[in-house]
Amino acid sequence: MSGDDSLTLPFMAVGAAGVVSVASNLFPAEVSALVGACDSGDYKSAESLHRKLFPLFKDLFIEPNPVPAKTALAWRGVMSAEVRLPLCEMSEPNQARLRKTLEAFEKTK
């Protein structure tokens, strides 16, 4: 299993069985499609999905996990963005970056 969304495609290409995913909390269908494409050997589709998802994979880790994911889920009204110490709320510049990445991704769906 890959433990890093951004490594799902390369890991599965050499035999991994899936991913323990952060991004799937926000986009379960898309991450599932990526894993399914790899599982079925359709690496052309898997690569396309990977490239589409990669900016999201990257920006979900611009601050310690789970802060960015919780922030994005809070924007959707799914949960609170509150985190416990030693974590803190996401910085304003990184919130703006994540929001921009999410908006760009949503436009490609």
Side-chain angles (χ1 to χ4, degrees):
M1 298 287 281
S2 172
D4 182 332
D5 287 294
S6 67
L7 296 176
T8 302
L9 173 59
F11 273 37
M12 290 191 74
V14 294
V19 61
V20 178
S21 173
V22 171
S24 66
N25 288 288
L26 293 160
F27 299 102
E30 290 82 354
V31 174
S32 180
L34 170 60
V35 170
C38 289
D39 248 357
S40 68
D42 182 2
Y43 287 102
K44 184 173 183 170
S45 294
E47 180 184 0
S48 176
L49 288 163
H50 172 81
R51 289 181 184 279
K52 181 177 165 184
L53 287 160
F54 191 78
L56 177 66
F57 293 161
K58 184 175 165 187
D59 283 358
L60 284 173
F61 289 93
I62 55 177
E63 292 197 12
N65 186 40
V67 176
K70 286 189 78 171
T71 300
L73 288 166
W75 291 337
R76 288 185 176 177
V78 174
M79 65 186 311
S80 165
E82 183 179 341
V83 293
R84 295 179 293 193
L85 291 173
L87 298 173
C88 60
E89 289 184 17
M90 196 170 187
S91 71
E92 290 295 325
N94 282 343
Q95 282 190 45
R97 176 177 161 177
L98 180 60
R99 192 176 295 274
K100 183 177 177 182
T101 299
L102 288 168
E103 288 171 357
F105 179 78
E106 288 286 352
K107 288 178 183 176
T108 68
K109 287 176 66 176

